[in-house]
Amino acid sequence: LRKYFHLVLWVCNNGSWLASQDVIHCHLTYSSFLGTLVKLWQRIFKNRRPFVVETYHAVGMSIPRWLRWFHARLISSKDGVVFMAKDPYWSRFLSEHPSLKSKTIPNGISFFESEKVGLNAREAYRKTLGIPVDCKFVLGTVGMLRPDREPWRYLPIFSEVAKVFGSEVHFVIAGGGTEKEFNHMRSLVQEYDLEGKVHMPGLVTDSKLPCSIMDLYITLNIGAITGIAAL
């Protein structure tokens, strides 16, 4: 509760900066509460910006009724909401709030709708990354390079694999991130003597392409929960 109280103070102290933004995206309860405070600030000071949109992933989950009610009250204050599924409660909620812009974007990828990556495209992508033609194995992963995900943990794993397979293996860590995190990863590549073997192409808009050249996909669990994207 103290955190929520401090959030009220933070919005009061940063209201002008928040009002200069075009869009604020909210996810999870704490962030949703922030978004509601921003909308309240807008009404008090007659600001037109920002547009506040929330993504909501608890559709159909077994959460307490009071919490779901609280979530609904927070969402009702927003300009837009994105759901990852449909259920009777939230369908009724949307019918009761026709002015709330909404969209359902299901989690995951439909493999039946995904086009396979052709041989020429795979070979071209390997060449772009600098993976030699005679490299037999490619290990890799796709994900955001964020400190909380601890992507640096891949490097000691890759180092052990490289000791066994030598020049026959290369590694791909695809995904965007901050320049600070990229520099940290590059320094670890040097530290583990993996220069020329680890390829970090940056932001990926279509994960099929990097995944299509991997012989083994790996992911990390930071905590007890496996990310749904990896599954």
Side-chain angles (χ1 to χ4, degrees), residues 14 41 48 63-64 78 101 128 136 140 148 179 199 201 210 223:
N14 294 275
W41 179 276
R48 297 183 64 184
I63 61 176
K78 307 300 191 303
K101 295 178 176 62
T128 300
K136 291 184 178 180
D148 60 303
E179 187 63 28
H199 310 274

Side-chain angles (χ1 to χ4, degrees), residues 125 129 131 138-141 158 170-174 199 201 210 213-214:
Y125 188 66
L129 295 183
I131 299 175
V138 177
L139 275 64
T141 189
F158 290 169
H170 275 240
F171 310 93
V172 176
I173 303 176
H199 310 274
I213 68 167
M214 297 177 190

Side-chain angles (χ1 to χ4, degrees), residues 56-191:
Y56 190 73
H57 282 223
V59 178
M61 291 178 61
S62 180
I63 61 176
R65 288 185 178 181
W66 69 267
L67 182 59
R68 187 173 62 176
W69 176 88
F70 182 56
H71 287 168
R73 302 288 74 72
L74 294 177
I75 290 175
S76 64
S77 69
K78 307 300 191 303
D79 297 297
V81 60
V82 176
F83 293 110
M84 49 73 67
K86 296 180 179 180
D87 72 6
Y89 180 88
W90 291 107
S91 296
R92 185 169 62 252
F93 170 83
L94 289 176
S95 67
E96 294 170 353
H97 297 81
S99 62
L100 178 65
K101 295 178 176 62
S102 65
K103 182 74 174 178
T104 301
I105 304 177
N107 261 348
I109 299 170
S110 173
F111 289 99
F112 295 104
E113 296 177 3
S114 290
E115 294 181 4
K116 290 184 177 181
V117 180
L119 178 61
N120 291 339
R122 295 201 303 271
E123 290 180 346
Y125 188 66
R126 281 175 61 115
K127 185 176 181 180
T128 300
L129 295 183
I131 299 175
V133 176
D134 59 351
C135 171
K136 291 184 178 180
F137 307 110
V138 177
L139 275 64
T141 189
V142 179
M144 288 290 293
L145 299 184
R146 291 192 341 222
D148 60 303
R149 297 189 178 186
E150 303 182 20
W152 59 267
R153 290 182 180 271
Y154 287 113
L155 279 307
I157 297 171
F158 290 169
S159 177
E160 292 300 315
V161 175
K163 289 175 183 177
V164 177
F165 289 93
S167 61
E168 292 186 333
V169 64
H170 275 240
F171 310 93
V172 176
I173 303 176
T178 64
E179 187 63 28
K180 181 179 179 181
E181 198 62 26
F182 267 102
N183 289 335
H184 180 216
M185 294 290 285
R186 291 187 186 108
S187 67
L188 289 174
V189 168
Q190 294 178 340
E191 181 180 327

